[in-house]
Amino acid sequence: MTLGYYAVAAIILVASLFFVGELRTLEARVVLGQRATDLFDTVLEIRRFERNFFLHRQVADLQENARQINLARDSMTANRADFLAIAPKARLDDLQTLLNDYQRQMSAFATLESDGGKLALMEPRVRTLGKEVVAIAQDMASSERRQIQATLASFRTLLLGAIFCMALLIVAIGRVLSQRVVRPLKEMEVSVAAISANRRETLSAPSDDREILSIIAAFNHMLKELDIRQKSLMRSERLVSLGTMLSGVAHELNNPLSNISTSCQILQEEVEESDHATQKIYLQQIDQQTERARNIVRSLLDFSREKEFRKETVLLRPLVQQTVGFVRGEVSAKSVVQLDIPEDLVVAADAQRLQQVFVNLIRNALEGLGADGRIVIAAQRMHPDGPPGGTALGSGCEADGEVVEISIADNGPGIAPEILPRIFDPFFTTKDVGHGMGLGLFVVYEIVDEHGGCIAVESTPGQGATFRIRLPQAETEET
Ligand code: ADP
């Protein structure tokens, strides 16, 4: 491209210099033409005063005639080199000789002024000489005019040729640009759209042009960096969620531990008196509670481990129940969390990520609840006939196949309409420093989008907020 640019610049420069040269030639010709015309005008003046003299016999006319002859002779001597370009040397010499002859004849009149007879005798000869002088001067002037016209005509042809070549060059450059720049850019635009829609991960080179290749390399590098940063954001958000869940886990672990402790105490006290069957019941209870505690710890470990995205069939209700248990630990015992999820409802999703979605949404809902706060988590299978109401985001908002729709509704303070479009932006928070990073809903959106789903929010300030998630179920049978 750079080479092409320099080539075009060089062509334009050379063409411009050429035309400037041509214009100078034309200018020189016009000056020359002007000199030839001036000479012709002087010769006409000579003849005019000659005629006047013959008519009125005035000495003044004779003197003016002589002055004009001198002017013509001076002009011929001064511009001889120039006139040689218009007329051949012999013709110029002829003119010079004729003019000398004419001058001689005319000066003879001065001396013969009173001799009318002689004057009348010489008059025709002088007139003939004058005519010849006029003819040569006229010939020179018109020959120069013709030459100027010819130069102008060739200049016009050259200019038209140059315009035509430039037009061809512009068309050729346009084609090359469209082939090497516009087409690859269009392909890049399509690829970037595919990357935004999560259909591909990197840009492939649509041309072998060096500039395009380096743009692609820089873009892919940026995508890689973005991916690394996004993963690190997700990791830090998971750590925040783990913090939230830890207090809930401690709370949840308390129940099986105190059950185990109670069973152990009873066993210790009654070990002598009780029969084997009773002892077995207590031991079974201890075993069950140990298993329960182990499950709680395992699910926390599962949540904390970084795993590849993998969809599986997840039984929804226990997952939500467990998450609510983990998140509730720190919340007022007065708020009610109501589940309206069928026991057997399964969803095709990555369990760990789905749990992260619930942790973030339930935590947000719980945080704003007042004394008689209430959260309703409901889920159902459905065939949507349009995107969910409110502000909806995600690649699956227009999907029309079977989906599982999960809604999380609270009766907290709600979200002001002016911030509603921004709540899914990374780092957007209305909480005080140290209380929220503004990543919770961003991560929720990312995960829902990764599932090809859709998330929407509706809220009336003062009356709570409802988040709706739709997860496509096309792959349920295969998983
Ligand atoms: P953070 O919780 O760290 O502020 P989020 O991305 O989870 O970040 O939430 C962004 C903002 O959205 C919150 O600061 C809050 O203003 C608003 N928000 C989210 N969920 C709710 C909700 N259930 N009720 C009211 N406001 C909410």
Side-chain angles (χ1 to χ4, degrees):
M1 270 187 249
T2 318
L3 269 180
Y5 172 77
Y6 282 129
V8 171
I11 290 172
I12 291 176
L13 192 74
V14 169
S16 309
L17 286 177
F18 174 75
F19 280 110
V20 168
E22 283 291 299
L23 269 178
R24 288 185 74 111
T25 314
L26 197 63
E27 205 175 31
R29 285 238 88 102
V30 170
V31 172
L32 201 60
Q34 190 55 49
R35 284 197 187 124
T37 312
D38 286 349
L39 181 66
F40 179 55
D41 288 347
T42 315
V43 169
L44 286 181
E45 283 296 282
I46 292 172
R47 298 243 39 219
R48 187 161 71 86
F49 287 110
E50 172 211 299
R51 252 193 314 275
N52 285 352
F53 175 70
F54 286 140
L55 275 178
H56 310 295
R57 303 283 178 197
Q58 294 286 320
V59 182
D61 289 332
L62 200 60
Q63 282 168 348
E64 192 52 34
N65 171 275
R67 200 177 69 78
Q68 295 292 340
I69 294 174
N70 281 335
L71 274 180
R73 290 183 56 184
D74 290 350
S75 160
M76 283 194 62
T77 321
N79 303 312
R80 189 175 169 77
D82 287 345
F83 287 147
L84 276 173
I86 307 174
K89 182 171 173 300
R91 192 107 169 110
L92 274 186
D93 290 344
D94 279 356
L95 181 61
Q96 192 90 44
T97 320
L98 281 171
L99 214 55
N100 289 345
D101 236 9
Y102 179 81
Q103 189 181 29
R104 245 192 325 276
Q105 301 272 343
M106 284 306 284
S107 47
F109 283 111
T111 48
L112 295 172
E113 219 175 308
S114 48
D115 192 345
K118 244 187 174 169
L119 281 179
L121 214 65
M122 284 174 73
E123 200 180 311
R125 163 92 183 121
V126 170
R127 281 188 192 277
T128 318
L129 272 176
K131 272 183 196 160
E132 281 176 38
V133 170
V134 169
I136 296 182
Q138 188 176 21
D139 195 30
M140 279 170 65
S142 50
S143 138
E144 183 52 23
R145 251 197 311 279
R146 274 196 304 279
Q147 287 205 27
I148 290 177
Q149 272 166 359
T151 313
L152 265 176
S154 79
F155 188 76
R156 192 179 50 223
T157 315
L158 276 173
L159 199 64
L160 283 176
I163 291 172
F164 181 68
C165 291
M166 288 282 184
L168 277 185
L169 195 69
I170 288 169
V171 170
I173 291 173
R175 281 187 73 95
V176 172
L177 274 183
S178 109
Q179 286 247 316
R180 300 193 75 100
V181 182
V182 181
R183 187 184 53 80
L185 282 181
K186 282 233 170 293
E187 283 179 30
M188 274 168 70
E189 188 185 336
V190 173
S191 306
V192 170
I195 290 174
S196 327
N198 269 336
R199 288 199 306 274
R200 57 185 298 176
E201 289 188 344
T202 51
L203 274 187
S204 51
S207 119
D208 53 1
D209 195 89
R210 208 153 41 93
E211 279 94 344
I212 299 278
L213 285 180
S214 67
I215 291 176
I216 298 275
F219 193 85
N220 281 339
H221 181 70
M222 184 187 77
L223 282 179
K224 218 162 142 188
E225 285 291 313
L226 275 177
D227 194 45
I228 292 172
R229 274 170 212 201
Q230 185 155 334
K231 284 200 172 117
S232 119
L233 278 184
M234 297 278 216
R235 216 172 294 131
S236 51
E237 175 57 25
R238 208 173 47 248
L239 285 179
V240 174
S241 303
L242 260 179
T244 309
M245 286 162 80
L246 268 180
S247 61
V249 168
H251 203 260
E252 287 277 293
L253 274 179
N254 236 1
N255 283 337
L257 285 180
S258 61
N259 288 345
I260 292 169
S261 161
T262 313
S263 299
C264 281
Q265 276 171 12
I266 296 173
L267 259 181
Q268 274 173 357
E269 283 165 14
E270 297 180 4
V271 73
E272 305 294 338
E273 303 103 63
S274 61
D275 53 22
H276 276 318
T278 317
Q279 287 173 359
K280 203 170 166 192
I281 289 172
Y282 283 120
L283 284 172
Q284 272 171 348
Q285 276 178 6
I286 291 172
D287 191 42
Q288 278 168 3
Q289 294 303 314
T290 315
E291 184 59 27
R292 191 175 150 196
R294 191 184 292 132
N295 280 342
I296 292 168
V297 173
R298 188 182 301 135
S299 48
L300 189 71
L301 282 177
D302 273 353
F303 183 80
S304 66
R305 240 176 252 133
E306 202 162 312
K307 283 198 268 173
E308 280 294 304
F309 177 82
R310 194 169 72 86
K311 269 192 189 178
E312 55 199 337
T313 306
V314 182
L315 204 51
L316 195 61
R317 193 181 166 93
L319 185 81
V320 177
Q321 246 168 353
Q322 187 189 53
T323 315
V324 171
F326 287 166
V327 182
R328 277 195 71 126
E330 52 186 32
V331 178
S332 138
K334 279 191 187 161
S335 39
V336 177
V337 181
Q338 182 188 324
L339 295 196
D340 189 3
I341 304 173
E343 294 280 352
D344 57 349
L345 183 64
V346 288
V347 47
D350 179 308
Q352 185 205 43
R353 284 171 172 72
L354 195 56
Q355 190 166 32
Q356 170 87 67
V357 168
F358 292 135
V359 170
N360 293 4
L361 290 179
I362 298 169
R363 187 181 54 206
N364 276 346
L366 284 172
E367 272 170 359
L369 286 185
D372 53 352
R374 185 181 195 84
I375 300 176
V376 180
I377 306 175
Q380 57 169 343
R381 269 178 192 280
M382 64 179 292
H383 285 274
D385 51 5
T391 311
L393 297 175
S395 48
C397 289
E398 301 293 335
D400 50 5
E402 187 179 46
V403 298
V404 167
E405 184 177 275
I406 307 162
S407 66
I408 297 159
D410 65 67
N411 63 351
I415 305 165
E418 61 272 17
I419 66 162
L420 207 56
R422 296 169 56 201
I423 58 172
F424 292 100
D425 291 351
F427 303 110
F428 176 81
T429 180
T430 55
K431 294 171 191 162
D432 295 336
V433 180
H435 286 92
M437 289 206 295
L439 286 176
L441 290 181
F442 169 67
V443 168
V444 167
Y445 160 71
E446 285 287 317
I447 295 174
V448 171
D449 196 50
E450 206 176 9
H451 281 81
C454 175
I455 178 156
V457 56
E458 276 180 301
S459 175
T460 315
Q463 290 176 31
T466 302
F467 285 85
R468 248 181 222 104
I469 294 169
R470 284 182 184 169
L471 298 175
Q473 294 306 297
E475 291 153 64
T476 319
E477 280 74 32
E478 297 158 28
T479 47

